[in-house]
Amino acid sequence: MSKQILPYQDSILQLKGPIFVFGASGFIGANLFDQIFQLRKDCYALTHDATKAWRLKLLNVPTENVIHCDILSHKSVQEIFDRYKPRTIFNLAAYGAYSKQKNVNLTYETNVNGTVNILENCTPDTVYIHAGSSSEYGFNCTAPKETDRVEPNSHYAVSKVSAAYMLEFYARVHGLKTLNLRLYSIYGGWEEPDRLIPRLVEEARKDTLPPLVSPDISRDFVYIDDCVEAFVQAALKVDKTISGRSYNIATGQKTTMRELVDETRNTFGLTIEPVWGSMGNRQWDLSDWYGDPEAANTDLGWKARTPLGVGLRKTADWQIQHAYAERVLPAFANPTLNPVITAIIACYKDAQAIPYMYDRLVKTFNEMKVRYEIIFVNDNSPDNQEEVIEGICAKDPNVIGITHSRNFGSQSAFLSGMEISSGDAVVLMDGDLQDPPEIIPSFYEKWQQGFDVTYGVRVQREMPPHVHFFYRTFYRLFKKMSYINIPVDAGDFSMIDQKVVRELVALPETEQFLRGLRAWVGFKQTGVGYVRPERMFGVSTNNWTKNIWWAKKAIFSFSFAPLELMSYAGFLLTGLSLLGILWQILAKFVFFPNTPAGISTIIVLVMLFGGINLLGVSFVGEYISKIFEETKKRPKFIRTKVRKGGHLYKTASEIRALVEARKTK
């Protein structure tokens, strides 16, 4: 698509960088970021509300310019400020503007506390421009001046008024350069498809009209490019004389729904008559809602450039250019275009590797343009692993840290994370970086093709040849012995769809061998080859004894071959014994009368049958021990604490409530 030529390009180039756009996954934020990013690469899209990240996905924003930040976490905000040191900040992050956003607490947390967290990290050299709302005027909605009384009529309006006063406070007391832009009815490209103007233009392109409210309801419509220019001009014009003030971003023209529809019919040549009242009025629909932009014109040198008819035509052109029905509507309607992937890392003596694992995972997920959740399971490691995980949790709210009461093993660690995961799919990984995060996109591609389980196949191992030979031989013998089809050279490293995860978590057995259970549950599965590297840090916790224990666990969990082998051996040796007796009789009395009755034959037979009996009893004992273990019904693991972002869950009831809450997601 050709780049848009903007009349305010020179103004964008004059902005002080780096530039942050908070709320860049939203309608106005995406437009503001896109127009700045077309001209300069020191602009960063900050987003935490990934349910709207479909815009950034369709804009194909480079991963290095997308920053995941939770403005509700002071540490999260502080960390990105320390790393990037922004000089111009546009804050368009908000909650509660739409009827579907009904969480009152989140409205105040986002619009007030989130604003405070950003302002606390600003300096007098930073420019901070805030997206306010015309709803701040509430009942006083008829062309109010910025000095007129605000009369908020909703929680959202109250929260935006609070933020406006907050900006004034930080300007006066802390000397920050801040402005609040009270936006009226902004419309244009990237607006939610279910909003008035996008629906109206979409239907007009089909020579029809959507359901309409009362014809006397009014708005003050501002085209998106004019709105973006207002933010840019505000960032350039703010100084001590006007810092902390609010400005109306409006045309100053009252446009009723009747006038809007008439303009639409003229612009698109429609002959169809509107059906008024075919959609009910909303509680925020008012008959005299428009603004006074005089102060913005005087102080910022801004005024709306785009007439309504021109804006409607530009919106239609945008829809055509962006393949609206084929790309935009499906992206808006289908959340699987932007899924959540949960990485579960079983950690034991991996304190050094964990920060590298985190960085590589985040980089990989950002490149994939997916939302992510990372769960580190500290399986009671003796090193400082817990402190390392807590530090990552503190700076990234998408990270969860689980601590076990003792070392239950990697299989229990994976199940502990799987039970608490909320992703559309999970990725199981060891914490020593022998499972490369860079393979996850290949897993993801298979998952999008419809495979429920994608496992990593170790086509090559960076290890001594004799050890490599042992692993390859075991996997092939195990495959032949197992009563289910378990793929060879496949470990725990895999991506598993959430529906399969639920089945695995629900399995009652205490002794788990996940790669076997993964095959046992079925579903559509495939493999992806990769080279398994050597451990990056430390020494492997595996040894020959542990490898033999793993082999026994696999065989006795998913194979009856040992028992069958003993049955065959019993039949064979019994037959040989009968033949031996017959031969002794014939030799003594027919063929070789002088045959000695040697004790060596007796010793060999006793040792042979004794060894066979002991081996058979040991095999039976292995199976009986598994039955014994399963009858105890002990828990697979015990969590002592779970940390998510700044929240710490320590008591059993708190952890249980968290698990139950996440099961419903």
Side-chain angles (χ1 to χ4, degrees), residues 179 324 533 557:
L179 289 180
Y324 195 65
S557 293

Side-chain angles (χ1 to χ4, degrees), residues 333-354:
N334 187 358
T336 60
L337 288 174
N338 189 27
V340 177
I341 305 299
T342 299
I344 301 173
I345 299 95
C347 305
Y348 186 74
K349 295 183 179 180
D350 295 319
Q352 290 179 286
I354 287 172

